[in-house]
Amino acid sequence: MKGRKAELKVIAGGLDHVPDVPAHVPKEMIAEWIGVIEELTEREVMTEGMRGAVDAYIMAMHNARKAQAEIEKHGLLIPSGKDGILKQNPAVSMLGKANQTIMRLAVELGLTPAARSKPAFQKQKEEEDDLFSRLLS
């Protein structure tokens, strides 16, 4: 469904530590998971509620890498049935779906350059304590 994108709002109270790596994250993806979590934590935008999206992002990347490996091994087309008629390797559509998920979640998590430039994904700034702001309160 097309429409206006949701406006992103700053969420106060991001995590101040890097959480433990979940047990389901494959060994070859642990460094990637830690890198994403550290970046979001450093920018003070990582919240406990974002962990599921980070996990989905990492697993989609894992699936994309596995699908790409199968395409490299077997090719884009594979023989089908007794006749040997060529058909598309199922890994091709798996790779496409994984890449769509990766890009959607990268934007949602603020991992793309365009998303990082939005105020909601930038490190929170301390409010300046000046005379003018004290007069307004």
Side-chain angles (χ1 to χ4, degrees):
M1 180 188 269
K2 293 280 182 182
R4 244 181 58 187
K5 288 187 177 180
E7 292 293 321
L8 300 173
K9 296 181 182 176
V10 175
I11 301 172
L15 293 178
D16 59 355
H17 66 285
V18 176
D20 294 334
V21 179
H24 69 272
V25 174
K27 288 179 186 174
E28 63 269 21
M29 297 306 293
I30 289 175
E32 189 77 34
W33 188 92
I34 291 171
V36 170
I37 293 288
E38 283 179 345
E39 180 181 336
L40 296 174
T41 302
E42 182 180 305
R43 287 192 280 138
E44 297 178 0
V45 295
M46 181 67 194
T47 64
E48 196 64 41
M50 292 172 69
R51 288 183 68 174
V54 171
D55 287 355
Y57 173 78
I58 294 300
M59 294 310 295
M61 287 185 70
H62 177 66
N63 292 340
R65 290 176 184 175
K66 292 286 189 182
Q68 185 62 51
E70 288 301 310
I71 292 168
E72 289 170 7
K73 182 177 179 181
H74 300 287
L76 293 173
L77 301 173
I78 57 173
S80 169
K82 299 175 204 165
D83 334 0
I85 297 173
L86 295 178
K87 69 172 188 172
Q88 179 178 292
N89 184 337
V92 173
S93 66
M94 292 171 73
L95 177 61
K97 288 178 184 177
N99 283 335
Q100 285 178 343
T101 301
I102 290 166
M103 288 311 300
R104 184 175 48 80
L105 289 170
V107 170
E108 298 264 340
L109 292 168
L111 298 174
T112 64
R116 273 195 300 269
S117 68
K118 295 181 181 180
F121 289 113
Q122 294 180 3
K123 190 173 182 175
Q124 306 285 326
K125 293 180 182 175
E126 297 288 328
E127 287 188 32
E128 292 182 24
D129 184 23
D130 62 89
L131 180 61
F132 184 71
S133 64
R134 284 187 269 160
L135 289 174
L136 292 176
S137 24

